Amino acid sequence: MQLSPSTKFDNTLGVTRILVDNPFAQASVSLYGGHVLSFCPKSDGRERLWLSKQAVLDGSKAIRGGIPVCWPWFSDSHGQDDVSLPAHGYLRTQTWQLISSQDHHDHTELKLVPAATQGPGFSYEAEVSLVIKIGQTMSIDLHTHNPGPQPFAITCALHTYFAISDIRSVELKGIEGQYKDKTRNWQVSETPAPYRFSEETDRVHHCKSEQVTIHTEGDITKVGSTGHDSLVVWNPWQEKSVTMGDMEDSGYQTMVCVETAVTDGFTLAPGTEHHLIQTIA
Ligand code: BG6
């Protein structure tokens, strides 16, 4: 496979990264996890993604920050009542392979595939790929195809950590309807307006909104979503940050996760496919 002129490999951080530097943006993607670590458009030079200063980058645990890929389940165990199954599935802790890299007139396109799609808790035939387009905006497409004879059901998410200047100044726009609150035993509540943050926040919004904006001290980050049935919003706040070894105690102040997610799940019949896409501007 030939690397495009805008693309190179780098091994200086522990994990192998694909570095993209084209006329529109700089970005980096870890092969471990098929995990986007950074995206910085040249139009404003503002990094859109948050990466923990204490992220573990030796391939021994999922990377804290960037865009973890959650598949074949979102959250704990896909309703299988098996606590040994890894949270958010197992693709974020696999080594992926870059199978193509191409420069186009307005973006660079990378295509990655995971080492294997079967693992504990999921034994169906499935093909997964991630297509990342890096231009003035970035899009990331988690593609699932069922080439086998049996239908299978999955949940999944693009669990993006966005960089913000201060969580207390953030306002989210574009999410409405009801949400389930994990911090309150899944109590169902109406989405607040304005949507601001003052405590641990862990919410599954059953909202198919295709555009959410994150407003923070003059900056606006646009988050587009398609193929989802929900949007998940997460900030661990201080107490939980302190208990997390891969997040600095004050880390919660400069990140917010807005996740393009499938939490109800879908069934893929033989021969069918699904695209979960997030765009970031
Ligand atoms: C969110 C979940 O999507 O991910 C939270 O809603 C969870 O409950 C968070 O704490 C981080 O998960 P992890 O497995 O990366 O620590």
Side-chain angles (χ1 to χ4, degrees):
M1 198 262 323
Q2 181 134 22
L3 287 178
S4 78
S6 300
T7 308
K8 64 178 182 188
F9 282 113
D10 174 88
N11 282 309
T12 56
L13 276 191
V15 286
T16 300
R17 292 178 303 156
I18 308 157
L19 304 183
V20 176
D21 188 347
N22 64 26
F24 315 102
Q26 289 181 316
S28 70
V29 182
S30 160
L31 290 184
Y32 178 71
H35 198 127
V36 181
L37 301 175
S38 84
F39 170 59
C40 185
K42 291 185 176 172
S43 55
D44 59 12
R46 181 167 63 88
E47 174 61 57
R48 299 301 197 263
L49 302 180
W50 181 90
L51 180 64
S52 173
K53 293 190 178 72
Q54 294 176 9
V56 177
L57 295 175
D58 63 3
S60 65
K61 73 173 288 196
I63 296 168
R64 178 73 60 200
I67 311 183
V69 174
C70 306
W71 192 100
W73 56 83
F74 168 77
S75 196
D76 299 334
S77 66
H78 203 6
Q80 297 180 81
D81 271 346
D82 180 349
V83 290
S84 70
L85 293 176
H88 295 318
Y90 44 76
L91 290 193
R92 65 176 180 160
T93 52
Q94 270 193 20
T95 299
W96 293 52
Q97 189 189 351
L98 179 68
I99 59 166
S100 77
S101 135
Q102 289 174 344
D103 286 337
H104 297 277
H105 74 281
D106 61 354
H107 68 277
T108 298
E109 180 180 304
L110 306 176
K111 184 170 184 180
L112 293 92
V113 293
T117 55
Q118 293 182 343
F122 186 85
S123 54
Y124 297 94
E125 281 181 47
E127 288 172 355
V128 172
S129 63
L130 202 59
V131 174
I132 305 164
K133 294 181 181 171
I134 298 148
Q136 275 181 19
T137 63
M138 177 170 70
S139 73
I140 171 164
D141 176 355
L142 176 62
H143 177 223
T144 307
H145 172 235
N146 181 356
Q150 281 183 293
F152 59 76
I154 62 164
T155 56
C156 52
L158 295 166
H159 188 311
T160 310
Y161 289 71
F162 290 96
I164 51 168
S165 45
D166 177 12
I167 187 68
R168 288 184 174 80
S169 76
V170 165
E171 182 176 347
L172 295 186
K173 294 187 181 176
I175 303 182
E176 50 191 33
Q178 294 187 318
Y179 69 89
K180 290 191 297 190
D181 191 341
K182 191 170 174 184
T183 70
R184 292 182 171 81
N185 199 24
W186 299 113
Q187 181 183 304
V188 175
S189 301
E190 281 302 318
T191 297
Y195 197 141
R196 294 181 185 279
F197 295 84
S198 58
E199 59 179 351
E200 181 185 351
T201 303
D202 196 349
R203 299 173 177 171
V204 176
H205 293 264
H206 283 288
C207 173
K208 293 188 182 166
S209 169
E210 294 196 343
Q211 185 79 258
V212 174
T213 48
I214 305 170
H215 299 251
T216 170
E217 294 182 355
D219 293 326
I220 300 176
T221 300
K222 296 179 183 163
V223 187
S225 301
T226 56
H228 58 305
D229 62 25
S230 38
L231 297 163
V232 178
V233 177
W234 182 60
N235 182 289
W237 218 251
Q238 184 156 28
E239 207 180 352
K240 197 161 181 188
S241 292
V242 171
T243 66
M244 292 163 63
D246 58 359
M247 187 154 171
E248 54 274 35
D249 294 353
S250 60
Y252 77 98
Q253 294 173 354
T254 52
M255 55 72 61
V256 66
C257 286
V258 177
E259 308 168 34
T260 296
V262 175
T263 61
D264 286 338
F266 58 80
T267 298
L268 272 190
T272 62
E273 60 185 358
H274 179 265
H275 292 269
L276 182 69
I277 302 174
Q278 188 178 71
T279 56
I280 299 172

